[in-house]
Amino acid sequence: MLQAPPAEPGMREDEVDTPALLIDLDAFEHNLDTMAALLAPTGAKLRAHAKTHKSAVIAKLQMARGAIGQCVQKVAEAEQLAWGGIPDVLVTNQVVSPRKLARLAALAKICKVGLCVDDPAQIALAEQAAEAAGVRLPVLVEIDVGMGRAGIEHGPPAVALAERIAASKHLSFGGLQAYHGSAQHMRTPEQRAAAIAEAAARSRRTVEQLKQRGLDCPIVGGAGTGTFRHEAASGVYTEIQAGSYAFMDVDYAKNEDAPPFRHALFVLAQVMSRATPGVAVVDCGHKGVAVDSGMPGVWQRPGLRYAGASDEHGKILIEDGEAPVLGEKLRLVPGHCDPTVDRYDWYVGVRKGRVECLWPIAARGAMA
Amino acid sequence: MLQAPPAEPGMREDEVDTPALLIDLDAFEHNLDTMAALLAPTGAKLRAHAKTHKSAVIAKLQMARGAIGQCVQKVAEAEQLAWGGIPDVLVTNQVVSPRKLARLAALAKICKVGLCVDDPAQIALAEQAAEAAGVRLPVLVEIDVGMGRAGIEHGPPAVALAERIAASKHLSFGGLQAYHGSAQHMRTPEQRAAAIAEAAARSRRTVEQLKQRGLDCPIVGGAGTGTFRHEAASGVYTEIQAGSYAFMDVDYAKNEDAPPFRHALFVLAQVMSRATPGVAVVDCGHKGVAVDSGMPGVWQRPGLRYAGASDEHGKILIEDGEAPVLGEKLRLVPGHCDPTVDRYDWYVGVRKGRVECLWPIAARGAMA
């Protein structure tokens, strides 16, 4: 079931029903503008990652500020963006299910859609789907740039895959996918710089070898909010795939020399019990705010510590300052934005204490 | 958006699109029958917790085996059960929002609905909502039996709240809510027995003091899958609120002397990359399987270890035995059922390798 919206435009923020996912629109717009300004002098383009926001509305706002397209991880996410009018979507992932590939190929009739491979078998499956749909799909080769997750070895193995793509009648070689996810959360700037220098070196080497084989590499894509300044400055990466920058979360804010984005995403929660001394229990546990990267913060209440998340209860310890009263609403800052967004059906956009808009999170739960 | 179902009845399990939430129907029915058989001699009744399953379909199957009603944590969950035809629903939680209380009182016209309090202000709010709707709501007093989360102190403070409920024109005193959540996951039987002995002692004392004040206590409710045999044998608890028993998860199975339930809930995932030696990457990360209680297991593949969850990727280390091939589908056993279920729109019921049924998870995301 789609859940009912927790608010209506014009309401005061403290009237919003809880738990609710709030966007602070001033901070959010600041973040979009800041990213556009940071990338402008580098020549790298933004292909924002919709795995964070799951919304064609937000994708359009990013593209109005110069983003050239969107990334997704799932075919079901690509569908929501394509159906919502986004013209260029890249699945930054392998797709091995013929049913999913048929769905993806069907989208190619209404927008540009690409995908990634790291194995010849995936190329054969994509070729079959594209042929059956009568479309031509751009396919990127994902190379491992240091994560040891997906991605083929850079250099000759990657070039061999690219040649196989280029030789496929219904596919075109789209470039390299060179994402280093674990580098995003390295704490010091030196660690992050070193990791991305290595990723850029592997990418550069592969681009040169492709050129030697007569293959042009239209895209080198990767980067996230924790490292994108390095990729953008590398001269190799052409597309930056940051997502979280639009919202920011507690974990990214912990990085030394964190990028200049503001917290724009909050979960509004309500104190539902004050029966235990020193404790305020709120109506949002880990079903409502993701805790895989740590507990949420309590916004502008430094004396309150969200210390424990049950499924539906959050236990806030009152360590200092004013104690919240029963019924009071508190803003939580998610430890990790992406999975938090994925729990909700609606964004509640707020500005200066009032609800300004409601936006559906159309790709919520779009896992397949 | 409601996501499309990942399967159709009659399909083979390996044709189900991934990630998908599977119920092994034989194991599931075994679990429901086992719980009914275990409780029968004790006199305690099952009021199964729908926070686990979020489905009126499963609630009905539980009630067909003797459950006398359902628990929920959220008003939005109560709505889905009431609208799905469940006749008796208890919100095992405080509700302090007037909008939520109005929604709850509205349900009282189509089924029996109750809620819990641990503060006089909550009673006043519930009375207002019940009066406005022209209904009478049963209200339970939640007592703290050892968690230090919600719940008023047992004994005289709890009795005072009960008297205030009984004196409210549109409320009736429904009993005591005495749930000890943290005891569920204590690893040794001795720890769990001691915790529940203390919870039962606090409950018993309060029931006696209520009686001295002329107040009958129709319900003493609590217990979960980790401890229910203790509560059921206590002679004090009248209603058992277990939920996970229907599915079981990795964490409950780790308890010494774990209850005799079978793993019935799985996430079907597909290997989408084999590019890194010794690693199989599946298309299900922590957006698709909750990791708050640890990583999922890989069903009947002891040589495979799900070692790391990104948002949409699961990294499986191939430590021993047969390596999974690209495209292969694996069953994951969730570390924690409840939040895993809450990510999906559909259950896929399977038996003997075939899809038998699809059930909507109507209260998915029902947080408010």
Side-chain angles (χ1 to χ4, degrees), chain A residues 250 265-269 282 284-285 288-289 296-299 306 314 316 330-335:
Chain A
V250 167
L265 188 82
F266 301 91
V267 173
L268 193 70
V282 292
C284 179
V289 63
V298 185
W299 182 241
Y306 188 110
I316 291 180
L330 300 169
R331 281 185 176 193
L332 308 178
V333 187

Side-chain angles (χ1 to χ4, degrees), chain A residues 47-318:
Chain A
R47 179 184 289 279
H49 217 308
K51 73 193 276 295
T52 299
H53 60 67
K54 301 224 164 204
S55 155
V57 178
I58 291 179
K60 280 176 193 161
L61 295 173
Q62 291 171 321
M63 296 185 74
R65 286 164 174 87
I68 49 108
Q70 295 278 310
C71 305
V72 297
Q73 297 281 61
K74 299 288 189 170
V75 173
E77 292 172 336
E79 287 174 333
Q80 292 301 331
L81 293 188
W83 297 339
I86 303 303
D88 188 342
V89 180
L90 171 66
V91 181
T92 52
N93 227 338
Q94 293 69 37
V95 182
V96 297
S97 145
R99 278 178 78 190
K100 287 194 178 84
L101 284 163
R103 287 162 47 210
L104 192 69
L107 295 182
K109 304 255 180 179
I110 58 169
C111 70
K112 186 175 171 193
V113 285
L115 75 161
C116 297
V117 298
D118 64 4
D119 190 288
Q122 295 152 355
I123 298 172
L125 288 165
E127 167 68 14
Q128 284 165 23
E131 181 175 13
V135 299
R136 193 175 168 91
L137 292 175
V139 177
L140 280 71
V141 173
E142 180 166 9
I143 59 172
D144 178 20
V145 291
M147 288 186 80
R149 195 174 67 179
I152 196 166
E153 198 183 334
H154 72 286
V159 173
L161 277 193
E163 290 183 315
R164 193 182 277 251
I165 294 165
S168 300
K169 203 169 160 194
H170 301 87
L171 308 179
S172 61
F173 173 58
L176 297 179
Q177 171 70 7
Y179 176 65
H180 196 322
S182 44
Q184 307 306 315
H185 301 278
M186 294 173 178
R187 286 285 176 253
T188 73
E190 294 74 24
Q191 290 169 315
R192 295 197 297 277
I196 300 309
E198 172 64 20
R202 293 188 192 181
S203 302
R204 185 177 295 112
R205 219 171 300 150
T206 310
V207 170
E208 285 162 5
Q209 292 172 10
L210 285 164
K211 197 175 287 177
Q212 289 161 11
R213 305 286 296 181
L215 276 176
D216 199 43
C217 186
I219 294 174
V220 177
T225 296
T227 64
F228 73 94
R229 288 172 294 188
H230 300 294
E231 282 95 337
S234 70
V236 184
Y237 283 82
T238 64
E239 293 190 357
I240 299 303
Q241 300 175 344
S244 301
Y245 80 96
F247 295 147
M248 283 298 280
D249 52 36
V250 167
D251 196 71
Y252 273 125
K254 281 183 188 158
N255 281 356
E256 282 177 40
D257 187 29
F261 302 113
R262 297 188 190 151
H263 286 298
L265 188 82
F266 301 91
V267 173
L268 193 70
Q270 185 173 33
V271 177
M272 64 178 191
S273 172
R274 282 297 323 276
T276 300
V279 173
V281 178
V282 292
D283 60 355
C284 179
H286 61 70
K287 281 183 182 171
V289 63
V291 299
D292 58 278
S293 299
M295 293 296 143
V298 185
W299 182 241
Q300 294 182 331
R301 298 291 287 269
L304 302 182
R305 185 162 63 87
Y306 188 110
S310 319
D311 285 6
E312 295 90 1
H313 296 78
K315 194 171 180 175
I316 291 180
L317 302 184
I318 304 162

Side-chain angles (χ1 to χ4, degrees), chain B residues 152-170:
Chain B
I152 196 166
E153 198 183 333
H154 72 286
V159 173
L161 278 192
E163 290 182 316
R164 193 183 277 251
I165 295 165
S168 301
K169 205 169 159 192
H170 300 86

Side-chain angles (χ1 to χ4, degrees), chain A residues 17-18 51 74 93 100 118 122 148-149 272-273 276 283 287 310-313 315 336 345 364, chain B residues 17-18 51 74 93 100 118 122 148-149 272-273 276 283 287 310-311 313 315 336 345 364:
Chain A
D17 210 358
T18 58
K51 73 193 276 295
K74 299 288 189 170
N93 227 338
K100 287 194 178 84
D118 64 4
Q122 295 152 355
R149 195 174 67 179
M272 64 178 191
S273 172
T276 300
D283 60 355
K287 281 183 182 171
S310 319
D311 285 6
E312 295 90 1
H313 296 78
K315 194 171 180 175
H336 193 178
D345 291 302
R364 189 281 321 155
Chain B
D17 211 358
T18 58
K51 76 194 272 294
K74 299 287 188 170
N93 227 336
K100 286 194 178 85
D118 63 6
Q122 295 153 355
R149 195 174 66 179
M272 63 179 191
S273 172
T276 300
D283 60 355
K287 281 183 182 171
S310 320
D311 285 7
H313 296 77
K315 193 170 178 174
H336 192 178
D345 291 302
R364 189 282 319 157

Side-chain angles (χ1 to χ4, degrees), chain B residues 64-88:
Chain B
R65 285 163 173 88
I68 51 108
Q70 294 279 309
C71 305
V72 296
Q73 296 282 60
K74 299 287 188 170
V75 172
E77 293 172 336
E79 287 173 333
Q80 292 301 331
L81 292 188
W83 297 339
I86 303 304
D88 189 341

Side-chain angles (χ1 to χ4, degrees), chain B residues 137-282:
Chain B
L137 292 175
V139 177
L140 281 70
V141 172
E142 180 167 8
I143 59 173
D144 178 20
V145 291
M147 286 187 81
R149 195 174 66 179
I152 196 166
E153 198 183 333
H154 72 286
V159 173
L161 278 192
E163 290 182 316
R164 193 183 277 251
I165 295 165
S168 301
K169 205 169 159 192
H170 300 86
L171 307 178
S172 61
F173 174 60
L176 297 178
Q177 171 71 6
Y179 176 64
H180 197 320
S182 44
Q184 307 306 315
H185 301 278
M186 293 174 179
R187 286 287 176 250
T188 74
E190 294 74 23
Q191 290 169 315
R192 296 196 296 276
I196 300 308
E198 171 64 20
R202 293 189 193 181
S203 302
R204 184 178 293 111
R205 220 171 301 148
T206 310
V207 171
E208 285 162 5
Q209 291 170 10
L210 285 164
K211 197 175 286 177
Q212 289 162 13
R213 306 286 297 181
L215 277 176
D216 200 42
C217 186
I219 295 174
V220 177
T225 297
T227 64
F228 73 93
R229 287 171 293 188
H230 300 293
E231 282 95 338
S234 69
V236 184
Y237 283 81
T238 65
E239 293 189 358
I240 298 303
Q241 299 174 345
S244 301
Y245 79 96
F247 294 146
M248 283 300 279
D249 51 37
V250 167
D251 195 71
Y252 273 125
K254 283 182 186 159
N255 281 355
E256 282 178 38
D257 189 27
F261 302 112
R262 296 186 192 154
H263 286 298
L265 189 82
F266 302 91
V267 172
L268 193 69
Q270 185 173 31
V271 177
M272 63 179 191
S273 172
R274 282 297 323 276
T276 300
V279 172
V281 178
V282 292

Side-chain angles (χ1 to χ4, degrees), chain B residues 308-325:
Chain B
S310 320
D311 285 7
E312 295 89 0
H313 296 77
K315 193 170 178 174
I316 292 180
L317 302 184
I318 304 162
E319 299 184 325
D320 194 25
E322 202 185 344
V325 298

